[in-house]
């Protein structure tokens, strides 16, 4: 695989919250994607995705699937009234919402001010809206941790909260990207693994049940000794992770994200053309397999099901199947 590394883009590109998702409501599977000041709706059918028209979405920065569709506008948490095609406010957070991570009985919400390389004054909250709206700070993730991305992970049937943080640690006494893992039970987060730089310093990460064995793996885009970027896959081990597979530098690789159980990477080929790859599972490891189509950004796509990815761009719904 021959790719070209674009260091300037890597220096300034940052993770962005998802702007596309799928969910089920009233027995129908729906897709939604932000498109400027509009939300595009699609009804999933046997033939593909049937366009269901736009919904006004001025100021909405991210969406997520829960019991219905959630959205964020500034500090406001919203829910889509699907029959009426309009947004209703559920409640407000203490600071602007950067990410929504729905879970059982509520949602994790990351707040802060969008800055690079990590948000300013970021914090994590557990939000519930049934029977009443309630916001509780996740105290285990402190102000000095500077969280900037969240995931759910499952290990041997136990639910865990994974948080990308940015701080100094005992083994690396300068601010850097860390990966922290918390047990999540009865509305409380308890630290179970406070990883520092993984096996190599990492730029971005994703969590996915790659092998469909109920064990969420950590996939990281990491810096290599030659100044490039490579991929590593870590498998759960007791309280944390252990290395399962890794590559050396893959020139051109720039971004990584998980959509359901599918891990997607983007970058450029040796001619500077945008490319997209899927991390495919092999018996003895993993392999990056190119896709025939490249979305405008990773936050524009969502998992339609276990094998298909969907998104809205250039005025239409797009679907492509993971190899």
């Amino acid at each position: 695989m021959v790719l070209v590394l674009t260091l300037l883009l890597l220096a300034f590109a940052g993770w962005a919250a998802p702007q596309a998702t799928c969910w089920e409501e009233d027995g129908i599977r729906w897709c939604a994607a932000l498109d400027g000041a509009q939300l595009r709706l699609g009804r999933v059918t046997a033939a593909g995705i049937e366009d269901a028209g736009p919904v006004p979405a001025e100021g909405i920065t991210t969406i997520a699937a829960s019991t219905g569709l959630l959205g964020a506008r500034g500090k406001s948490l919203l829910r889509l009234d699907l029959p009426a095609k309009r947004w209703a406010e559920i409640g407000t957070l203490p600071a602007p919402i950067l990410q929504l991570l729905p879970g059982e009985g509520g949602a994790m919400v990351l707040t802060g001010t969008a800055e690079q390389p990590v948000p300013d004054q970021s914090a994590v909250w557990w939000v519930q809206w049934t029977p009443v709206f309630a916001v509780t700070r996740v105290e285990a993730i402190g102000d000095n941790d500077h969280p900037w991305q969240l995931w759910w992970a499952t290990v041997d049937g136990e639910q865990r909260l994974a948080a990308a943080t940015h701080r100094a640690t005992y083994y690396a006494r300068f601010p850097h990207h860390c990966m922290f893992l918390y047990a999540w039970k009865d509305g409380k987060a308890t630290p179970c693994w406070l990883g520092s730089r993984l096996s190599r310093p990492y730029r971005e990460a994703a969590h996915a049940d790659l092998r469909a064995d109920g064990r969420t793996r950590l996939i990281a885009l990491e810096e290599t000794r030659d100044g490039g970027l490579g991929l590593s896959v870590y498998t759960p081990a007791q309280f944390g992770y252990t290395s399962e597979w890794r590559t050396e530098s893959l020139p051109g690789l720039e971004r990584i994200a998980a959509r359901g159980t599918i891990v997607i990477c983007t970058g450029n080929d040796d001619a500077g053309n945008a490319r997209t790859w899927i991390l495919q599972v092999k018996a003895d490891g993993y392999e990056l397999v190119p896709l025939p189509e490249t979305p405008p950004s990773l936050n524009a796509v969502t998992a339609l099901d276990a094998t298909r990815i969907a998104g809205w761009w250039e005025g239409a719904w797009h679907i492509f199947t993971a190899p």
Side-chain angles (χ1 to χ4, degrees):
M1 185 187 310
V2 180
L3 313 168
V4 172
L5 180 63
T6 310
L7 289 175
L8 185 61
L9 285 176
L10 282 171
F12 292 98
W15 173 82
Q19 296 187 343
T21 192
C22 292
W23 80 103
E24 289 193 13
E25 188 168 336
D26 297 330
I28 299 174
R29 186 144 179 88
W30 296 88
C31 284
L34 290 173
D35 181 29
Q38 291 185 332
L39 177 81
R40 301 299 308 198
L41 286 176
R43 186 182 294 104
V44 180
T45 68
I49 301 178
E50 177 185 294
D51 185 27
V55 174
E58 183 72 39
I60 294 179
T61 54
T62 185
I63 56 176
S66 180
T67 51
L69 184 67
L70 300 178
R73 179 190 289 126
K75 299 179 182 180
S76 296
L77 178 62
L78 312 173
R79 181 165 48 201
L80 180 67
D81 182 338
L82 187 58
K85 289 190 175 182
R86 64 185 180 191
W87 296 94
E89 184 178 271
I90 302 174
T92 60
L93 276 290
I97 297 170
L98 300 177
Q99 183 189 0
L100 301 171
L101 182 66
E104 186 176 350
M108 287 291 174
V109 178
L110 175 66
T111 64
T113 303
E115 300 286 350
Q116 295 293 342
V118 293
D120 185 37
Q121 298 181 339
S122 56
V124 179
W125 311 83
W126 175 240
V127 179
Q128 297 171 289
W129 48 88
T130 302
V132 296
F133 185 76
V135 178
T136 305
R137 176 76 183 267
V138 180
E139 298 289 350
I141 306 176
D143 293 339
N144 292 332
D145 292 328
H146 304 292
W148 55 275
Q149 191 176 4
L150 305 170
W151 305 264
W152 290 118
T154 301
V155 180
D156 297 332
E158 294 183 359
Q159 187 175 44
R160 296 180 180 178
L161 173 66
T165 62
H166 186 81
R167 59 165 300 160
T169 62
Y170 180 82
Y171 294 103
R173 298 179 181 272
F174 54 89
H176 62 283
H177 286 353
C178 307
M179 185 62 65
F180 289 177
L181 197 61
Y182 302 84
W184 177 253
K185 187 176 182 180
D186 299 328
K188 183 179 180 181
T190 304
C192 58
W193 188 71
L194 304 181
S196 185
R197 301 174 66 186
L198 304 180
S199 61
R200 300 176 291 194
Y202 82 93
R203 293 284 185 89
E204 291 188 346
H207 292 256
D209 186 1
L210 283 172
R211 294 186 176 273
D213 57 3
R215 297 171 60 80
T216 304
R217 283 164 168 78
L218 164 62
I219 307 95
L221 186 63
E222 299 176 332
E223 299 174 5
T224 56
R225 291 183 179 274
D226 61 1
L229 293 175
L231 279 180
S232 288
V233 177
Y234 298 88
T235 186
Q238 295 182 327
F239 298 107
Y241 293 96
T242 186
S243 180
E244 178 183 9
W245 176 87
R246 66 187 287 179
T247 72
E248 295 306 319
S249 177
L250 298 173
L253 201 61
E254 294 179 3
R255 307 295 305 278
I256 184 173
R259 296 294 180 260
T261 60
I262 303 172
V263 173
I264 315 169
C265 299
T266 59
N268 294 286
D269 62 18
D270 55 357
N273 300 312
R275 297 294 302 275
T276 301
W277 299 267
I278 294 293
L279 187 62
Q280 189 176 67
V281 175
K282 298 290 185 180
D284 58 348
Y286 302 87
E287 179 184 7
L288 280 178
V289 179
L291 288 177
E293 191 170 2
T294 295
S297 66
L298 284 179
N299 61 338
V301 297
T302 185
L304 185 60
D305 50 39
T307 61
R308 294 183 298 169
I309 301 166
W312 172 277
W313 60 88
E314 296 179 351
W317 286 102
H318 297 250
I319 300 176
F320 42 99
T321 302

